[in-house]
Amino acid sequence: MDDSNDHRYVSRRSLLRASAGAATITAVGTGQASAEGSVSPSWFDSRCPDATHEPSMGHCVDGGMEGCMDDHPATVELRAAVRDTLEEQYPDAGALVDAGYKPYFDTLDRDADGWSHWINPEYVGDESVVDPERPESVLVDNETWRSIGVMFIATENGEPIEPPAVYGETGSEDRCSPWHYHAGLPGRFAWWYYRQAYERDFEDGNVTLPCRTPCMLHVWTGDHPEGVYAHDGPPREYRDQEPADDPGFETGAKPGTDTLDWDSLPSDLVPEQRPDELAALVPGL
C-alpha cells in the first residue's frame, strides 16, 4: 500500500482488537504514535491539513451555491423526479431494505435531529451521478420511517470524482453546483464505516480513513426553510407526514411510535460491528 496518500489505514486485526475492548489503535505507516500506542490527533492534522476533529464541511465548488434557485426549471425538474422515485420505489424504510439500501443512522452524528441516511452500495459503485432513479443515499425521517429526500454521492466505481453542476456552465453567474464534503473526523469516520461495513463486510485487509468524504448533494422533496439543496435536514415541523403503514421487515417496533434505529432492526440487517463499537479506534471521536 502507498503510505504517501493522505489516509489512515485500519486493519481487520485492529477491528478484532476493538471488539475485545481495546480503546486504542496502533499507528501504521508514518503516523505519529502516542506513548500509549494510539494515534495522536496531530497526525490527522499533519497528513490531512483541511481536516478537523470536530464536525466540519466545505463546498466542493467555490461559489457553487450562488446560482442555485428553488424555482429554476432544472431544480424543479430534479426535485419532481426525486419525489416520484421516492413515492413509487422508496417510500419508506421497508422499501429501502427490499431495494438493497443499508442502514446508516448517520453513524456518530448524534445531533442529526431525527433523520438518517440509508446507502445503496450498488449505486455508490456504479457510474451514474445525479440519477433520480438511482440515488446513492435516501434520507429517512426516523419518527415516521418515511423517505424525505435523497443524497447523491459523486463517485464512479466507488471512487470520488469531480461533481457535475446541476445546471449552468463553469464560470457563469447562474451556475448551480451545491455539492459539499465533510472534513470533520465524525464525517470521515462515517464514510470509513460505510465502506468497511457494507463494501467489505469486515473482510481481512485495509480500508482507509479519508482526509475528507466524497462530494455529496442533498435534494429535499418537502418544504425546507433553507431550500431544496440545504445541508441540514428540514426542521421537525416541516416533516409533518403520516407514519409508514407497516415496518416492512420483522421487528417489534412500530413507525410513528418507536424511533427507527439500530435496535428496531432485525439482526440480519445490523452489521457485524456498530459504529459506536469502533469509534474507540479513532482518537478524538
Side-chain angles (χ1 to χ4, degrees):
M1 70 182 63
D2 184 0
D3 285 339
S4 65
N5 292 330
D6 286 343
H7 293 301
R8 175 75 178 91
Y9 294 93
V10 182
S11 69
R12 169 66 169 170
R13 179 177 298 176
S14 299
L15 292 172
L16 292 176
R17 185 180 300 141
S19 67
T24 61
I25 177 173
T26 303
V28 179
T30 59
Q32 178 182 354
S34 70
E36 293 80 13
S38 63
V39 176
S40 166
S42 64
W43 189 92
F44 293 98
D45 294 338
S46 63
R47 292 181 62 84
C48 302
D50 297 328
T52 62
H53 293 99
E54 63 280 353
S56 66
M57 58 162 288
H59 296 290
C60 294
V61 178
D62 289 340
M65 287 286 293
E66 294 177 2
C68 296
M69 297 182 295
D70 285 0
D71 60 354
H72 189 282
T75 296
V76 173
E77 180 180 0
L78 176 60
R79 187 184 196 185
V82 168
R83 183 183 292 114
D84 288 345
T85 294
L86 294 187
E87 290 177 352
E88 297 170 8
Q89 299 183 53
Y90 315 124
D92 51 38
L96 293 176
V97 170
D98 290 343
Y101 282 84
K102 306 298 184 181
Y104 196 51
F105 298 117
D106 298 89
T107 319
L108 297 180
D109 185 1
R110 300 176 180 89
D111 298 319
D113 193 27
W115 60 277
S116 55
H117 299 75
W118 287 61
I119 296 185
N120 192 317
E122 178 183 352
Y123 297 164
V124 172
D126 66 17
E127 297 181 355
S128 67
V129 183
V130 195
D131 183 347
E133 296 186 0
R134 298 172 66 86
E136 288 82 3
S137 176
V138 174
L139 312 173
V140 178
D141 179 84
N142 294 339
E143 181 177 307
T144 64
W145 302 28
R146 294 279 189 185
S147 301
I148 56 177
V150 303
M151 184 177 75
F152 297 112
I153 303 175
T155 57
E156 184 173 307
N157 299 321
E159 297 301 321
I161 63 171
E162 290 295 320
V166 177
Y167 57 83
E169 299 297 327
T170 301
S172 65
E173 293 183 357
D174 68 342
R175 187 187 189 200
C176 175
S177 187
W179 297 83
H180 69 275
Y181 64 85
H182 292 271
L185 189 54
R188 295 159 59 208
F189 175 85
W191 184 249
W192 171 86
Y193 179 80
Y194 154 73
R195 296 196 66 200
Q196 185 69 59
Y198 295 124
E199 290 186 355
R200 304 178 67 85
D201 293 327
F202 294 102
E203 295 175 353
D204 290 341
N206 297 314
V207 69
T208 61
L209 181 68
C211 289
R212 73 182 208 182
T213 67
C215 294
M216 303 173 178
L217 168 62
H218 290 164
V219 176
W220 303 100
T221 54
D223 292 337
H224 196 305
E226 298 179 13
V228 172
Y229 304 116
H231 171 258
D232 294 323
R236 168 58 58 193
E237 60 267 26
Y238 286 80
R239 288 181 264 156
D240 184 19
Q241 54 186 340
E242 292 296 319
D245 296 330
D246 185 88
F249 45 79
E250 186 175 347
T251 178
K254 181 180 179 181
T257 300
D258 301 299
T259 299
L260 179 64
D261 58 17
W262 293 114
D263 293 330
S264 65
L265 301 177
S267 59
D268 61 347
L269 290 180
V270 178
E272 177 184 342
Q273 300 277 355
R274 294 190 190 186
D276 283 338
E277 296 171 348
L278 300 178
L281 292 170
V282 184
L285 282 176

